[in-house]
């Protein structure tokens, strides 16, 4: 029997109801909204047993409607991160997307998956969200059927499993856009956290944060997190993962540790330099987004982001919590 429980969480301006699902297991409590597939909170203990929320979020729906841009906790799609110029070509056809991060398209456009209300059903220790993105939504081709399952393992890890199928060739990259502050959401800057990333290469970007196509070694540069060190600010970059062990983030003061494993080839490190959302300011949290590479639809040298009929987009990321 599922431990996930729903409750009303307000209504959108058009009257559409939003619900919040609470998952509890293994010492972790996670709350997920049907609006945007948002991870509203993740509560875990520190080394002394004191419980605090470690994912940035708002206490009510109004906060998410007032401050949509940080994408706090959101399920991002149809294509996570940036597509250069809001345009890509697929099978000889050109598709144009909203340039909501001028001059580029970001996180699925003006009304991406983060601004949609999802259907929800209980699963074993979790909740499955689903919706159909119609052909042409935000400029993307194909009718995309998507399901995303949030569940807690016996040890209290948060597992997010994504699946999507299409009736026409399209591009897909789905991620979760949680910002983490292991000292506690709203406790100040997360810049003192220590970070390790399982990547020996990074994809350099131009002035518009679009990858140049290069995969550059991180050794000896400020991008080198192969050994844990303080993260600071000034990062919004995609790392080329060496394997499934993507990252480890820790807060020395509280002892909380977050580990991320994934089936995805990339990890976006964003240190939240531009957060300006109510009580949360720059550096209030660190986003670690597992993903296909930014602008991969325009970069044939990058791992493929094209989904075709008869195939499925399948992805999994696990967020483990512990103390030391």
């Amino acid at each position: 029997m599922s431990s996930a429980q729903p409750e009303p969480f307000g209504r959108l301006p058009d009257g559409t109801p939003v619900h919040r699902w609470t998952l509890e297991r293994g010492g972790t409590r996670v709350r997920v909204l049907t609006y945007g597939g948002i991870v509203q909170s993740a509560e875990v203990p520190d080394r002394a047993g004191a419980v605090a929320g470690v994912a940035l979020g708002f206490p009510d729906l109004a906060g998410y409607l007032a401050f949509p841009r940080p994408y706090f906790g959101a399920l991002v799609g149809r294509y996570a991160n940036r597509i250069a110029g809001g345009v890509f070509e697929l099978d000889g056809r050109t598709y144009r997307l909203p340039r909501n991060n001028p001059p580029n398209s970001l996180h699925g456009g003006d009304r991406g998956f983060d601004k949609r209300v999802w259907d929800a059903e209980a699963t074993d220790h979790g909740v499955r969200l689903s919706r159909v993105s119609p052909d042409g939504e935000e400029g993307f081709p194909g009718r995309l059927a998507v399901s995303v399952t949030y569940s807690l393992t016996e040890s209290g890890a948060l597992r997010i499993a994504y699946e999507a199928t299409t009736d026409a060739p399209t591009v897909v990259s789905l991620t979760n856009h949680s910002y983490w502050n292991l000292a506690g959401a709203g406790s100040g800057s997360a810049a003192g956290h220590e970070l390790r990333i399982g990547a020996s290469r990074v994809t350099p970007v131009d002035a518009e944060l679009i990858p140049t196509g290069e995969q550059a070694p991180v050794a000896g540069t400020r991008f080198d997190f192969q050994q844990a060190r303080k993260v600071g600010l000034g990062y919004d970059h995609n790392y080329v993962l060496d394997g499934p062990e993507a990252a480890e983030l820790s807060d020395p003061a509280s002892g909380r540790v977050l580990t991320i494993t994934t089936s995805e080839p990339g990890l976006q490190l964003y240190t939240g330099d531009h957060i300006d959302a109510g009580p949360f300011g720059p550096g209030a949290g660190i986003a670690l987004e597992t993903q296909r590479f930014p602008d991969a639809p325009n970069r044939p040298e990058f791992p493929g982001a094209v989904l075709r009929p008869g195939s499925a987009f399948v992805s999994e990321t696990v967020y483990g919590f512990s103390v030391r």
Side-chain angles (χ1 to χ4, degrees), residues 222-267:
R222 73 183 188 93
F223 299 104
D224 191 351
F225 289 96
Q226 294 178 95
Q227 302 296 322
R229 63 180 178 87
K230 288 188 177 181
V231 62
L233 296 177
Y235 295 92
D236 194 359
H237 296 81
N238 172 68
Y239 283 77
V240 181
L241 295 176
D242 294 331
E245 296 182 359
E248 179 185 276
L249 185 69
S250 63
D251 172 40
S254 69
R256 294 189 184 95
V257 179
L258 168 69
T259 58
I260 300 176
T261 59
T262 187
S263 60
E264 289 298 283
L267 178 80

mmCIF file of all heavy atoms in Angstrom, residues 222-267:
data_model
loop_
_atom_site.group_PDB
_atom_site.id
_atom_site.type_symbol
_atom_site.label_atom_id
_atom_site.label_comp_id
_atom_site.label_asym_id
_atom_site.label_seq_id
_atom_site.Cartn_x
_atom_site.Cartn_y
_atom_site.Cartn_z
ATOM 1 N N ARG A 222 38.726 26.183 -12.590
ATOM 2 C CA ARG A 222 37.741 26.421 -11.530
ATOM 3 C C ARG A 222 36.540 25.483 -11.629
ATOM 4 O O ARG A 222 35.716 25.419 -10.708
ATOM 5 C CB ARG A 222 37.274 27.870 -11.571
ATOM 6 C CG ARG A 222 36.341 28.238 -12.721
ATOM 7 C CD ARG A 222 36.008 29.717 -12.686
ATOM 8 N NE ARG A 222 34.979 30.093 -13.656
ATOM 9 C CZ ARG A 222 33.674 30.154 -13.380
ATOM 10 N NH1 ARG A 222 33.242 29.867 -12.160
ATOM 11 N NH2 ARG A 222 32.795 30.507 -14.297
ATOM 12 N N PHE A 223 36.459 24.740 -12.731
ATOM 13 C CA PHE A 223 35.351 23.796 -12.913
ATOM 14 C C PHE A 223 35.650 22.419 -12.326
ATOM 15 O O PHE A 223 34.813 21.514 -12.416
ATOM 16 C CB PHE A 223 35.020 23.659 -14.403
ATOM 17 C CG PHE A 223 34.586 24.945 -15.041
ATOM 18 C CD1 PHE A 223 35.441 25.657 -15.862
ATOM 19 C CD2 PHE A 223 33.324 25.465 -14.801
ATOM 20 C CE1 PHE A 223 35.054 26.857 -16.445
ATOM 21 C CE2 PHE A 223 32.918 26.659 -15.378
ATOM 22 C CZ PHE A 223 33.790 27.357 -16.195
ATOM 23 N N ASP A 224 36.814 22.250 -11.741
ATOM 24 C CA ASP A 224 37.233 20.939 -11.261
ATOM 25 C C ASP A 224 36.657 20.656 -9.876
ATOM 26 O O ASP A 224 37.111 21.210 -8.869
ATOM 27 C CB ASP A 224 38.768 20.863 -11.231
ATOM 28 C CG ASP A 224 39.267 19.447 -11.004
ATOM 29 O OD1 ASP A 224 38.444 18.557 -10.693
ATOM 30 O OD2 ASP A 224 40.492 19.228 -11.150
ATOM 31 N N PHE A 225 35.638 19.785 -9.849
ATOM 32 C CA PHE A 225 35.065 19.307 -8.588
ATOM 33 C C PHE A 225 35.226 17.790 -8.469
ATOM 34 O O PHE A 225 34.391 17.122 -7.841
ATOM 35 C CB PHE A 225 33.585 19.696 -8.492
ATOM 36 C CG PHE A 225 33.355 21.166 -8.284
ATOM 37 C CD1 PHE A 225 33.092 22.010 -9.366
ATOM 38 C CD2 PHE A 225 33.417 21.721 -7.016
ATOM 39 C CE1 PHE A 225 32.879 23.365 -9.183
ATOM 40 C CE2 PHE A 225 33.201 23.086 -6.817
ATOM 41 C CZ PHE A 225 32.937 23.909 -7.900
ATOM 42 N N GLN A 226 36.271 17.261 -9.082
ATOM 43 C CA GLN A 226 36.489 15.813 -8.999
ATOM 44 C C GLN A 226 36.808 15.395 -7.565
ATOM 45 O O GLN A 226 36.547 14.258 -7.176
ATOM 46 C CB GLN A 226 37.605 15.395 -9.954
ATOM 47 C CG GLN A 226 37.219 15.611 -11.424
ATOM 48 C CD GLN A 226 38.334 15.240 -12.365
ATOM 49 O OE1 GLN A 226 38.394 14.124 -12.881
ATOM 50 N NE2 GLN A 226 39.255 16.173 -12.590
ATOM 51 N N GLN A 227 37.384 16.323 -6.796
ATOM 52 C CA GLN A 227 37.544 16.159 -5.354
ATOM 53 C C GLN A 227 36.674 17.212 -4.675
ATOM 54 O O GLN A 227 36.580 18.342 -5.150
ATOM 55 C CB GLN A 227 39.013 16.326 -4.948
ATOM 56 C CG GLN A 227 39.962 15.362 -5.635
ATOM 57 C CD GLN A 227 39.697 13.914 -5.272
ATOM 58 O OE1 GLN A 227 39.364 13.614 -4.122
ATOM 59 N NE2 GLN A 227 39.829 13.023 -6.241
ATOM 60 N N ALA A 228 36.064 16.847 -3.566
ATOM 61 C CA ALA A 228 35.138 17.758 -2.892
ATOM 62 C C ALA A 228 35.836 19.039 -2.456
ATOM 63 O O ALA A 228 36.944 19.003 -1.916
ATOM 64 C CB ALA A 228 34.509 17.066 -1.693
ATOM 65 N N ARG A 229 35.167 20.163 -2.727
ATOM 66 C CA ARG A 229 35.658 21.462 -2.267
ATOM 67 C C ARG A 229 34.476 22.426 -2.188
ATOM 68 O O ARG A 229 33.395 22.140 -2.714
ATOM 69 C CB ARG A 229 36.742 22.011 -3.194
ATOM 70 C CG ARG A 229 36.289 22.311 -4.621
ATOM 71 C CD ARG A 229 37.441 22.852 -5.449
ATOM 72 N NE ARG A 229 37.081 23.109 -6.834
ATOM 73 C CZ ARG A 229 36.555 24.252 -7.277
ATOM 74 N NH1 ARG A 229 36.306 25.240 -6.426
ATOM 75 N NH2 ARG A 229 36.258 24.413 -8.554
ATOM 76 N N LYS A 230 34.711 23.572 -1.536
ATOM 77 C CA LYS A 230 33.642 24.562 -1.431
ATOM 78 C C LYS A 230 33.248 25.046 -2.816
ATOM 79 O O LYS A 230 34.106 25.315 -3.661
ATOM 80 C CB LYS A 230 34.085 25.731 -0.550
ATOM 81 C CG LYS A 230 34.157 25.375 0.925
ATOM 82 C CD LYS A 230 34.410 26.603 1.792
ATOM 83 C CE LYS A 230 34.413 26.222 3.264
ATOM 84 N NZ LYS A 230 34.643 27.399 4.143
ATOM 85 N N VAL A 231 31.936 25.221 -3.009
ATOM 86 C CA VAL A 231 31.462 25.488 -4.360
ATOM 87 C C VAL A 231 31.470 26.973 -4.717
ATOM 88 O O VAL A 231 31.754 27.334 -5.851
ATOM 89 C CB VAL A 231 30.062 24.868 -4.563
ATOM 90 C CG1 VAL A 231 29.041 25.471 -3.622
ATOM 91 C CG2 VAL A 231 29.602 25.025 -5.999
ATOM 92 N N GLY A 232 31.154 27.880 -3.781
ATOM 93 C CA GLY A 232 31.103 29.294 -4.135
ATOM 94 C C GLY A 232 29.978 29.603 -5.104
ATOM 95 O O GLY A 232 29.048 28.824 -5.278
ATOM 96 N N LEU A 233 30.078 30.742 -5.770
ATOM 97 C CA LEU A 233 29.096 31.156 -6.761
ATOM 98 C C LEU A 233 29.758 31.255 -8.134
ATOM 99 O O LEU A 233 30.946 31.012 -8.288
ATOM 100 C CB LEU A 233 28.471 32.503 -6.367
ATOM 101 C CG LEU A 233 27.642 32.516 -5.073
ATOM 102 C CD1 LEU A 233 27.152 33.929 -4.771
ATOM 103 C CD2 LEU A 233 26.480 31.549 -5.165
ATOM 104 N N GLY A 234 28.956 31.609 -9.140
ATOM 105 C CA GLY A 234 29.504 31.845 -10.469
ATOM 106 C C GLY A 234 29.452 30.669 -11.417
ATOM 107 O O GLY A 234 30.191 30.642 -12.411
ATOM 108 N N TYR A 235 28.543 29.718 -11.168
ATOM 109 C CA TYR A 235 28.459 28.544 -12.037
ATOM 110 C C TYR A 235 27.054 28.397 -12.612
ATOM 111 O O TYR A 235 26.060 28.473 -11.888
ATOM 112 C CB TYR A 235 28.810 27.267 -11.264
ATOM 113 C CG TYR A 235 30.243 27.225 -10.779
ATOM 114 C CD1 TYR A 235 30.564 27.709 -9.509
ATOM 115 C CD2 TYR A 235 31.266 26.732 -11.576
ATOM 116 C CE1 TYR A 235 31.873 27.688 -9.046
ATOM 117 C CE2 TYR A 235 32.576 26.703 -11.124
ATOM 118 C CZ TYR A 235 32.869 27.187 -9.858
ATOM 119 O OH TYR A 235 34.168 27.165 -9.410
ATOM 120 N N ASP A 236 26.989 28.146 -13.922
ATOM 121 C CA ASP A 236 25.764 27.759 -14.623
ATOM 122 C C ASP A 236 26.220 26.962 -15.840
ATOM 123 O O ASP A 236 26.126 27.424 -16.980
ATOM 124 C CB ASP A 236 24.944 28.988 -15.021
ATOM 125 C CG ASP A 236 23.528 28.624 -15.445
ATOM 126 O OD1 ASP A 236 23.190 27.424 -15.440
ATOM 127 O OD2 ASP A 236 22.751 29.539 -15.796
ATOM 128 N N HIS A 237 26.737 25.757 -15.588
ATOM 129 C CA HIS A 237 27.458 24.989 -16.597
ATOM 130 C C HIS A 237 27.075 23.511 -16.562
ATOM 131 O O HIS A 237 26.755 22.968 -15.500
ATOM 132 C CB HIS A 237 28.973 25.124 -16.384
ATOM 133 C CG HIS A 237 29.477 26.519 -16.568
ATOM 134 N ND1 HIS A 237 29.378 27.467 -15.570
ATOM 135 C CD2 HIS A 237 30.079 27.138 -17.621
ATOM 136 C CE1 HIS A 237 29.892 28.619 -16.000
ATOM 137 N NE2 HIS A 237 30.323 28.436 -17.238
ATOM 138 N N ASN A 238 27.166 22.888 -17.722
ATOM 139 C CA ASN A 238 26.859 21.471 -17.884
ATOM 140 C C ASN A 238 28.132 20.633 -17.795
ATOM 141 O O ASN A 238 29.114 20.877 -18.505
ATOM 142 C CB ASN A 238 26.192 21.236 -19.240
ATOM 143 C CG ASN A 238 26.028 19.761 -19.550
ATOM 144 O OD1 ASN A 238 25.243 19.069 -18.896
ATOM 145 N ND2 ASN A 238 26.764 19.267 -20.532
ATOM 146 N N TYR A 239 28.089 19.640 -16.927
ATOM 147 C CA TYR A 239 29.203 18.713 -16.768
ATOM 148 C C TYR A 239 28.923 17.410 -17.522
ATOM 149 O O TYR A 239 27.796 16.920 -17.516
ATOM 150 C CB TYR A 239 29.449 18.417 -15.290
ATOM 151 C CG TYR A 239 30.177 19.534 -14.584
ATOM 152 C CD1 TYR A 239 29.510 20.697 -14.204
ATOM 153 C CD2 TYR A 239 31.531 19.452 -14.309
ATOM 154 C CE1 TYR A 239 30.179 21.736 -13.567
ATOM 155 C CE2 TYR A 239 32.217 20.484 -13.669
ATOM 156 C CZ TYR A 239 31.532 21.617 -13.307
ATOM 157 O OH TYR A 239 32.202 22.643 -12.689
ATOM 158 N N VAL A 240 29.970 16.878 -18.140
ATOM 159 C CA VAL A 240 29.898 15.616 -18.864
ATOM 160 C C VAL A 240 30.207 14.504 -17.867
ATOM 161 O O VAL A 240 31.366 14.314 -17.466
ATOM 162 C CB VAL A 240 30.905 15.592 -20.030
ATOM 163 C CG1 VAL A 240 30.799 14.280 -20.799
ATOM 164 C CG2 VAL A 240 30.681 16.786 -20.957
ATOM 165 N N LEU A 241 29.204 13.787 -17.439
ATOM 166 C CA LEU A 241 29.382 12.818 -16.370
ATOM 167 C C LEU A 241 30.198 11.615 -16.831
ATOM 168 O O LEU A 241 30.012 11.103 -17.930
ATOM 169 C CB LEU A 241 28.027 12.367 -15.837
ATOM 170 C CG LEU A 241 27.200 13.464 -15.150
ATOM 171 C CD1 LEU A 241 25.828 12.932 -14.757
ATOM 172 C CD2 LEU A 241 27.926 14.016 -13.930
ATOM 173 N N ASP A 242 31.079 11.161 -15.940
ATOM 174 C CA ASP A 242 31.906 9.993 -16.233
ATOM 175 C C ASP A 242 31.158 8.690 -15.979
ATOM 176 O O ASP A 242 31.565 7.627 -16.459
ATOM 177 C CB ASP A 242 33.175 10.012 -15.368
ATOM 178 C CG ASP A 242 34.089 11.176 -15.704
ATOM 179 O OD1 ASP A 242 34.080 11.621 -16.869
ATOM 180 O OD2 ASP A 242 34.820 11.635 -14.799
ATOM 181 N N GLY A 243 30.094 8.746 -15.206
ATOM 182 C CA GLY A 243 29.323 7.556 -14.861
ATOM 183 C C GLY A 243 28.079 7.945 -14.103
ATOM 184 O O GLY A 243 27.724 9.125 -14.007
ATOM 185 N N PRO A 244 27.380 6.970 -13.512
ATOM 186 C CA PRO A 244 26.103 7.260 -12.849
ATOM 187 C C PRO A 244 26.229 8.040 -11.549
ATOM 188 O O PRO A 244 25.249 8.651 -11.116
ATOM 189 C CB PRO A 244 25.515 5.875 -12.595
ATOM 190 C CG PRO A 244 26.685 4.947 -12.599
ATOM 191 C CD PRO A 244 27.657 5.519 -13.573
ATOM 192 N N GLU A 245 27.402 8.047 -10.922
ATOM 193 C CA GLU A 245 27.571 8.798 -9.673
ATOM 194 C C GLU A 245 27.830 10.261 -10.018
ATOM 195 O O GLU A 245 28.960 10.682 -10.248
ATOM 196 C CB GLU A 245 28.705 8.197 -8.843
ATOM 197 C CG GLU A 245 28.418 6.788 -8.385
ATOM 198 C CD GLU A 245 29.522 6.215 -7.528
ATOM 199 O OE1 GLU A 245 30.533 6.914 -7.291
ATOM 200 O OE2 GLU A 245 29.383 5.063 -7.098
ATOM 201 N N ALA A 246 26.756 11.040 -10.025
ATOM 202 C CA ALA A 246 26.820 12.392 -10.570
ATOM 203 C C ALA A 246 27.444 13.391 -9.612
ATOM 204 O O ALA A 246 28.318 14.174 -10.008
ATOM 205 C CB ALA A 246 25.418 12.854 -10.965
ATOM 206 N N ALA A 247 26.985 13.408 -8.358
ATOM 207 C CA ALA A 247 27.430 14.477 -7.467
ATOM 208 C C ALA A 247 27.221 14.105 -6.010
ATOM 209 O O ALA A 247 26.379 13.253 -5.669
ATOM 210 C CB ALA A 247 26.673 15.769 -7.773
ATOM 211 N N GLU A 248 28.005 14.768 -5.157
ATOM 212 C CA GLU A 248 27.800 14.722 -3.713
ATOM 213 C C GLU A 248 27.924 16.141 -3.179
ATOM 214 O O GLU A 248 28.919 16.819 -3.421
ATOM 215 C CB GLU A 248 28.826 13.827 -3.028
ATOM 216 C CG GLU A 248 28.642 13.774 -1.509
ATOM 217 C CD GLU A 248 29.734 12.986 -0.820
ATOM 218 O OE1 GLU A 248 29.595 11.746 -0.759
ATOM 219 O OE2 GLU A 248 30.718 13.606 -0.369
ATOM 220 N N LEU A 249 26.877 16.580 -2.482
ATOM 221 C CA LEU A 249 26.849 17.910 -1.880
ATOM 222 C C LEU A 249 26.749 17.735 -0.377
ATOM 223 O O LEU A 249 25.969 16.908 0.106
ATOM 224 C CB LEU A 249 25.640 18.691 -2.401
ATOM 225 C CG LEU A 249 25.495 20.156 -1.973
ATOM 226 C CD1 LEU A 249 26.577 21.021 -2.611
ATOM 227 C CD2 LEU A 249 24.106 20.678 -2.341
ATOM 228 N N SER A 250 27.546 18.493 0.388
ATOM 229 C CA SER A 250 27.511 18.338 1.839
ATOM 230 C C SER A 250 27.606 19.698 2.524
ATOM 231 O O SER A 250 28.182 20.645 1.992
ATOM 232 C CB SER A 250 28.638 17.420 2.321
ATOM 233 O OG SER A 250 29.904 17.976 2.036
ATOM 234 N N ASP A 251 27.020 19.753 3.704
ATOM 235 C CA ASP A 251 27.086 20.937 4.562
ATOM 236 C C ASP A 251 27.859 20.565 5.813
ATOM 237 O O ASP A 251 27.334 19.834 6.671
ATOM 238 C CB ASP A 251 25.678 21.411 4.919
ATOM 239 C CG ASP A 251 25.694 22.510 5.970
ATOM 240 O OD1 ASP A 251 26.585 23.384 5.887
ATOM 241 O OD2 ASP A 251 24.835 22.483 6.878
ATOM 242 N N PRO A 252 29.102 21.018 5.947
ATOM 243 C CA PRO A 252 29.910 20.618 7.091
ATOM 244 C C PRO A 252 29.275 20.952 8.434
ATOM 245 O O PRO A 252 29.446 20.209 9.412
ATOM 246 C CB PRO A 252 31.220 21.385 6.883
ATOM 247 C CG PRO A 252 31.290 21.637 5.413
ATOM 248 C CD PRO A 252 29.865 21.846 4.995
ATOM 249 N N ALA A 253 28.531 22.054 8.528
ATOM 250 C CA ALA A 253 27.975 22.478 9.813
ATOM 251 C C ALA A 253 26.893 21.532 10.312
ATOM 252 O O ALA A 253 26.895 21.131 11.482
ATOM 253 C CB ALA A 253 27.435 23.900 9.697
ATOM 254 N N SER A 254 25.959 21.161 9.450
ATOM 255 C CA SER A 254 24.852 20.293 9.866
ATOM 256 C C SER A 254 25.180 18.814 9.725
ATOM 257 O O SER A 254 24.535 17.964 10.349
ATOM 258 C CB SER A 254 23.595 20.602 9.043
ATOM 259 O OG SER A 254 23.786 20.201 7.693
ATOM 260 N N GLY A 255 26.157 18.503 8.881
ATOM 261 C CA GLY A 255 26.503 17.114 8.602
ATOM 262 C C GLY A 255 25.654 16.474 7.532
ATOM 263 O O GLY A 255 25.891 15.311 7.162
ATOM 264 N N ARG A 256 24.663 17.202 6.997
ATOM 265 C CA ARG A 256 23.817 16.607 5.961
ATOM 266 C C ARG A 256 24.590 16.414 4.660
ATOM 267 O O ARG A 256 25.388 17.265 4.269
ATOM 268 C CB ARG A 256 22.586 17.479 5.697
ATOM 269 C CG ARG A 256 21.614 17.555 6.867
ATOM 270 C CD ARG A 256 20.324 18.258 6.453
ATOM 271 N NE ARG A 256 19.421 18.424 7.585
ATOM 272 C CZ ARG A 256 19.338 19.501 8.348
ATOM 273 N NH1 ARG A 256 20.123 20.552 8.068
ATOM 274 N NH2 ARG A 256 18.505 19.558 9.362
ATOM 275 N N VAL A 257 24.298 15.301 3.989
ATOM 276 C CA VAL A 257 24.949 14.954 2.725
ATOM 277 C C VAL A 257 23.873 14.557 1.719
ATOM 278 O O VAL A 257 22.960 13.785 2.047
ATOM 279 C CB VAL A 257 25.951 13.795 2.898
ATOM 280 C CG1 VAL A 257 26.601 13.437 1.564
ATOM 281 C CG2 VAL A 257 27.010 14.140 3.939
ATOM 282 N N LEU A 258 23.974 15.094 0.512
ATOM 283 C CA LEU A 258 23.104 14.725 -0.602
ATOM 284 C C LEU A 258 23.952 14.058 -1.669
ATOM 285 O O LEU A 258 24.956 14.613 -2.116
ATOM 286 C CB LEU A 258 22.427 15.971 -1.185
ATOM 287 C CG LEU A 258 21.704 15.807 -2.528
ATOM 288 C CD1 LEU A 258 20.464 14.939 -2.370
ATOM 289 C CD2 LEU A 258 21.346 17.167 -3.126
ATOM 290 N N THR A 259 23.569 12.852 -2.089
ATOM 291 C CA THR A 259 24.239 12.182 -3.205
ATOM 292 C C THR A 259 23.247 12.039 -4.354
ATOM 293 O O THR A 259 22.056 11.784 -4.134
ATOM 294 C CB THR A 259 24.766 10.798 -2.805
ATOM 295 O OG1 THR A 259 23.676 9.991 -2.326
ATOM 296 C CG2 THR A 259 25.829 10.910 -1.715
ATOM 297 N N ILE A 260 23.741 12.214 -5.570
ATOM 298 C CA ILE A 260 22.893 12.135 -6.759
ATOM 299 C C ILE A 260 23.474 11.100 -7.711
ATOM 300 O O ILE A 260 24.643 11.198 -8.114
ATOM 301 C CB ILE A 260 22.776 13.499 -7.459
ATOM 302 C CG1 ILE A 260 22.163 14.535 -6.509
ATOM 303 C CG2 ILE A 260 21.935 13.384 -8.730
ATOM 304 C CD1 ILE A 260 22.093 15.943 -7.095
ATOM 305 N N THR A 261 22.666 10.120 -8.070
ATOM 306 C CA THR A 261 23.024 9.163 -9.120
ATOM 307 C C THR A 261 21.994 9.273 -10.230
ATOM 308 O O THR A 261 20.816 9.565 -9.980
ATOM 309 C CB THR A 261 23.069 7.726 -8.586
ATOM 310 O OG1 THR A 261 21.790 7.376 -8.040
ATOM 311 C CG2 THR A 261 24.125 7.577 -7.500
ATOM 312 N N THR A 262 22.423 9.031 -11.457
ATOM 313 C CA THR A 262 21.526 9.263 -12.587
ATOM 314 C C THR A 262 21.897 8.412 -13.795
ATOM 315 O O THR A 262 23.046 7.983 -13.936
ATOM 316 C CB THR A 262 21.548 10.757 -12.983
ATOM 317 O OG1 THR A 262 20.546 11.006 -13.986
ATOM 318 C CG2 THR A 262 22.909 11.166 -13.536
ATOM 319 N N SER A 263 20.928 8.214 -14.654
ATOM 320 C CA SER A 263 21.159 7.565 -15.942
ATOM 321 C C SER A 263 21.463 8.579 -17.036
ATOM 322 O O SER A 263 21.775 8.197 -18.168
ATOM 323 C CB SER A 263 19.922 6.759 -16.344
ATOM 324 O OG SER A 263 18.782 7.604 -16.463
ATOM 325 N N GLU A 264 21.394 9.881 -16.712
ATOM 326 C CA GLU A 264 21.588 10.929 -17.706
ATOM 327 C C GLU A 264 23.082 11.199 -17.955
ATOM 328 O O GLU A 264 23.916 10.958 -17.090
ATOM 329 C CB GLU A 264 20.896 12.216 -17.263
ATOM 330 C CG GLU A 264 19.379 12.146 -17.331
ATOM 331 C CD GLU A 264 18.890 11.930 -18.746
ATOM 332 O OE1 GLU A 264 18.879 12.886 -19.537
ATOM 333 O OE2 GLU A 264 18.534 10.777 -19.075
ATOM 334 N N PRO A 265 23.407 11.750 -19.133
ATOM 335 C CA PRO A 265 24.824 11.994 -19.456
ATOM 336 C C PRO A 265 25.375 13.300 -18.919
ATOM 337 O O PRO A 265 26.585 13.492 -18.881
ATOM 338 C CB PRO A 265 24.829 12.017 -20.985
ATOM 339 C CG PRO A 265 23.470 12.535 -21.359
ATOM 340 C CD PRO A 265 22.538 11.951 -20.329
ATOM 341 N N GLY A 266 24.483 14.224 -18.509
ATOM 342 C CA GLY A 266 24.943 15.554 -18.100
ATOM 343 C C GLY A 266 24.383 15.981 -16.769
ATOM 344 O O GLY A 266 23.359 15.463 -16.283
ATOM 345 N N LEU A 267 25.062 16.954 -16.153
ATOM 346 C CA LEU A 267 24.620 17.550 -14.895
ATOM 347 C C LEU A 267 24.866 19.046 -14.973
ATOM 348 O O LEU A 267 26.004 19.483 -15.161
ATOM 349 C CB LEU A 267 25.393 16.967 -13.712
ATOM 350 C CG LEU A 267 25.039 17.566 -12.348
ATOM 351 C CD1 LEU A 267 23.751 16.943 -11.812
ATOM 352 C CD2 LEU A 267 26.172 17.364 -11.342
#
